[in-house]
Amino acid sequence: MENKTSSSNFIKNIVSDDLQSGKVGEVVTRFPPEPNGYLHIGHAKSICLNFELADEFKGRTNLRFDDTNPVKEDTEYVEAIQEDVRWLGFEWDDLRFASDYFEEMYERAVLLIKKGKAYVDDLTAEQMREMRGTLTQPGQNSPSRDRSVEENLDLFARMRAGEFKDGERILRAKIDMASPNINLRDPALYRIAHAHHHRTGDAWCIYPMYDYAHPLGDAIEGVTHSICTLEFEDHRPLYDWVVAECEMEATPHQYEFARLNVTNTIMSKRYLKMLVDKGVVESWDDPRMPTISGLRRKGFTAESLRAFCREIGVARAYSVVDERLLEFFIREDLKLKAPRTMAVLQPLKVVITNYPEGQTELLDAENNAENEEMGTRQIPFSREIYIEQDDFMENPPSKYFRLFPGNEVRLKNAYFIKCEEVVKDADGHVVELRCTYDPETKSGSGFTGRKVKGTIHWVEASQAVPAEFRLFEPLLTEEEGDSDKDFLDRINPNSLTALQGFVEPNMKDAKGQDKFQFFRHGYFNVDPKHSNADRIVFNRIVSLKSSFDPKA
Ligand code: ATP
Ligand code: MG
């Protein structure tokens, strides 16, 4: 599973053949996001595919913003997308915007009109839909279809000049209203939108449609392999038509692959934006979001996302990937990298009554039992410590090996302690344990006098650093039968739990995005937004174990 970079997929085979046959001299790809939201894990698959393909064959990859829909687009997204691509580990050759080409696209549309291959239509969107026909019935020609070239040129120039309102006129390709492929039934090329564009401002009030802008952008940039998801398969004849009829010098080709779907994961910018706008999550980079920025803030590494994308591969068959596969790869990545320390998420105070008052000693602890190179650290131990509330039970069932009255356990890296007394508040809640320790049992001393069955973690109380631990569940509750249920009705009210506890004193200098394994709790990341001088906030990336085996 380590190095799958060089494993094959059908697109690589095509590129390799094209290079060998001399059909292309150099492979050029592009990643073409629309800046109408933040990128999600599905986009990561497309990014890895495009950049790694060019890397492997020593070609080039452009980042091109597909900014043809001014109403939904924003520079905030443009910046966030660049940050995400770079963070994933890729650098583009050129940064381009579809809007860079608006003038050339306009001129090519004029060329189409002159060739009798495009016309201005006056039909309303509603009428156009009615006349488009169905899968089994051909469409009908619009009354405007036979307009003269002169009239079309005049109307198109007036569209550009702003003489018409939104929706009043449209430029259509003149192809074939009876084509079995509905995409070829005189598709729209330009629409009117009196809207402010994040880059071109108010220079334009007509905007090219995706099916027109995309092939032209590819051809202008010399893209050789234009890779997109399968929904666009039926658009390919139109893609080829645009490149040919607009008389583009370069001839890019479109190839389709199956989009990434992940179980129980929302994979659409539109829906993710609803979660942000409705305040269901804090922001696009909320650690519960399947966005690249959300996964990063939760603590996923770029390496783990790339390994995931490599493992799922590239195919044309529809498939859904188990969400736990992503978790598998972050565990793999952090196993040897993350220091292992102790954190108490739900503290219960323990007083060690036979430990000298006012004394503190330093104990040695390994930083990563599986990676000696990470060395050791010293942690303080004294008369008062915190343990996990869960690690004590007053009336335990049999087979409970942690702390209960009269029982002895090992404190990780320290001593055996025995619970002598339980202190409760007026409501009967356990608020403190009084224990004794055995100085002979110090960890690493070679003590073999007796054994205990349970080992629990702890943090020394006087120097403990306050911390908040954020634990996550999926944003959506599992679908039960009625999969049609509106996704906003499936919001999981327990997607975030925040616990107030403590970490070891040497964690006080932890910085945003530092990652740790907390003994028995899993992998955690320092939240870069919410941590401050008084309190470190940790996001749980993933628990330690899962029964999920990706190789099974
Ligand atoms: P969304 O519906 O989430 O906005 P999109 O496809 O409209 O997705 P774009 O910004 O247009 O988003 O996509 C940029 C590139 O990412 C496209 O090439 C698209 O095919 C690819 N992409 C988007 N979603 C996925 C996915 N789930 N799996 C693989 N590639 C994807
Ligand atoms: Mg889109």
Side-chain angles (χ1 to χ4, degrees), residues 407-424:
N407 191 43
E408 194 173 42
V409 297
R410 177 198 306 278
L411 291 178
K412 171 93 175 150
N413 299 315
Y415 300 94
F416 290 8
I417 57 167
K418 184 174 181 184
C419 178
E420 310 281 0
E421 191 188 336
V422 181
V423 181
K424 295 181 184 173

Side-chain angles (χ1 to χ4, degrees), residues 326-372:
L326 204 50
E327 302 182 344
F328 170 83
F329 281 104
I330 187 65
R331 283 194 195 96
E332 284 284 296
D333 189 31
L334 294 182
K335 191 167 61 184
L336 303 182
K337 284 190 200 164
R340 301 181 182 181
T341 77
M342 296 193 282
V344 174
L345 275 52
Q346 291 176 289
L348 173 60
K349 182 172 269 182
V350 171
V351 178
I352 299 163
T353 52
N354 61 337
Y355 195 88
E357 238 166 293
Q359 179 176 314
T360 303
E361 66 180 305
L362 290 173
L363 302 172
D364 289 322
E366 271 177 320
N367 286 331
N368 189 329
E370 288 184 69
N371 181 0
E372 265 183 36

Side-chain angles (χ1 to χ4, degrees), residues 417-462:
I417 57 167
K418 184 174 181 184
C419 178
E420 310 281 0
E421 191 188 336
V422 181
V423 181
K424 295 181 184 173
D425 65 11
D427 301 325
H429 295 125
V430 177
V431 289
E432 186 181 299
L433 301 179
R434 301 183 76 84
C435 298
T436 50
Y437 87 118
D438 178 352
E440 300 296 311
T441 58
K442 187 170 174 177
S443 173
S445 69
F447 175 79
T448 52
R450 62 186 182 280
K451 287 201 164 120
V452 289
K453 285 203 164 139
T455 300
I456 65 173
H457 60 277
W458 55 277
V459 173
E460 194 276 330
S462 70

Side-chain angles (χ1 to χ4, degrees), residues 346 348 478 530 540:
Q346 291 176 289
L348 173 60
E478 215 73 54
H530 291 304
R540 178 150 75 182

Side-chain angles (χ1 to χ4, degrees), residues 30-47 49-50 64 66 81 210 214 227-232 257-262 266-272:
R30 86 289 171 258
F31 173 63
E34 186 182 352
N36 61 351
Y38 283 53
L39 300 179
H40 51 64
I41 180 73
H43 294 111
K45 173 174 178 174
S46 176
I47 294 169
L49 172 58
N50 280 292
R64 185 201 316 144
D66 183 7
I81 288 170
Y210 173 90
H214 207 84
I227 302 164
C228 63
T229 45
L230 275 176
E231 315 88 85
F232 292 97
F257 71 101
R259 64 193 299 121
L260 169 65
N261 299 295
V262 180
I266 306 161
M267 204 77 94
S268 153
K269 279 183 267 161
R270 198 163 68 87
Y271 286 115
L272 294 174

Side-chain angles (χ1 to χ4, degrees), residues 16-298:
S16 166
D17 289 349
D18 288 351
L19 285 167
Q20 255 166 30
S21 70
K23 187 173 160 195
V24 300
E26 178 191 29
V27 54
V28 182
T29 60
R30 86 289 171 258
F31 173 63
E34 186 182 352
N36 61 351
Y38 283 53
L39 300 179
H40 51 64
I41 180 73
H43 294 111
K45 173 174 178 174
S46 176
I47 294 169
C48 289
L49 172 58
N50 280 292
F51 281 90
E52 288 179 356
L53 194 65
D55 280 351
E56 186 166 339
F57 294 100
K58 307 214 167 3
R60 293 184 288 126
T61 304
N62 288 348
L63 173 61
R64 185 201 316 144
F65 287 99
D66 183 7
D67 56 345
T68 53
N69 188 2
V71 183
K72 299 205 165 148
E73 295 159 5
D74 198 281
T75 40
E76 177 197 343
Y77 303 137
V78 170
E79 277 153 25
I81 288 170
Q82 292 183 59
E83 186 186 347
D84 288 348
V85 173
R86 282 213 177 96
W87 175 79
L88 262 184
F90 301 107
E91 191 55 55
W92 46 89
D93 285 274
D94 278 331
L95 176 64
R96 301 292 181 93
F97 292 81
S99 55
D100 294 340
Y101 314 134
F102 279 175
E103 192 63 46
E104 171 158 6
M105 288 172 181
Y106 179 83
E107 280 157 23
R108 301 275 171 181
V110 169
L111 173 69
L112 290 179
I113 293 173
K114 287 182 179 160
K115 292 165 71 173
K117 298 284 183 182
Y119 62 97
V120 174
D121 204 343
D122 313 339
L123 293 182
T124 62
E126 178 70 37
Q127 289 168 319
M128 265 180 73
R129 210 171 305 123
E130 277 166 15
M131 295 176 72
R132 194 177 295 133
T134 63
L135 285 173
T136 49
Q137 287 199 314
Q140 293 161 256
N141 286 350
S142 162
S144 318
R145 202 172 196 263
D146 293 319
R147 273 195 166 126
S148 69
V149 168
E150 287 67 35
E151 195 183 353
N152 279 319
L153 286 174
D154 175 59
L155 284 170
F156 190 47
R158 287 164 59 195
M159 276 171 67
R160 176 179 183 168
E163 281 189 34
F164 309 114
K165 291 203 273 295
D166 290 8
E168 238 175 46
R169 294 258 171 3
I170 197 153
L171 184 75
R172 300 178 73 175
K174 194 170 181 175
I175 307 180
D176 180 6
M177 287 305 292
S179 171
N181 183 342
I182 293 181
N183 294 297
L184 295 180
R185 293 183 189 170
D186 292 8
L189 302 178
Y190 266 92
R191 69 209 166 86
I192 299 173
H194 290 271
H196 190 81
H197 187 280
H198 70 104
R199 292 190 82 233
T200 58
D202 298 314
W204 293 90
C205 62
I206 56 172
Y207 291 94
M209 306 300 289
Y210 173 90
D211 280 332
Y212 177 69
H214 207 84
L216 292 185
D218 285 343
I220 292 168
E221 292 170 23
V223 168
T224 53
H225 297 78
S226 179
I227 302 164
C228 63
T229 45
L230 275 176
E231 315 88 85
F232 292 97
E233 186 172 19
D234 291 342
H235 297 235
R236 193 184 335 128
L238 177 55
Y239 182 101
D240 293 339
W241 184 93
V242 170
V243 172
E245 294 298 346
C246 289
E247 302 178 11
M248 301 307 291
E249 218 172 288
T251 313
H253 289 282
Q254 175 183 302
Y255 302 90
E256 308 88 17
F257 71 101
R259 64 193 299 121
L260 169 65
N261 299 295
V262 180
T263 52
N264 213 23
T265 301
I266 306 161
M267 204 77 94
S268 153
K269 279 183 267 161
R270 198 163 68 87
Y271 286 115
L272 294 174
K273 185 167 191 303
M274 280 164 76
L275 294 177
V276 177
D277 291 346
K278 291 193 184 297
V280 174
V281 294
E282 170 189 309
S283 53
W284 283 94
D285 68 351
D286 187 301
R288 291 167 292 178
M289 293 280 270
T291 51
I292 294 178
S293 51
L295 291 165
R296 172 168 68 233
R297 199 172 141 202
K298 194 173 182 184

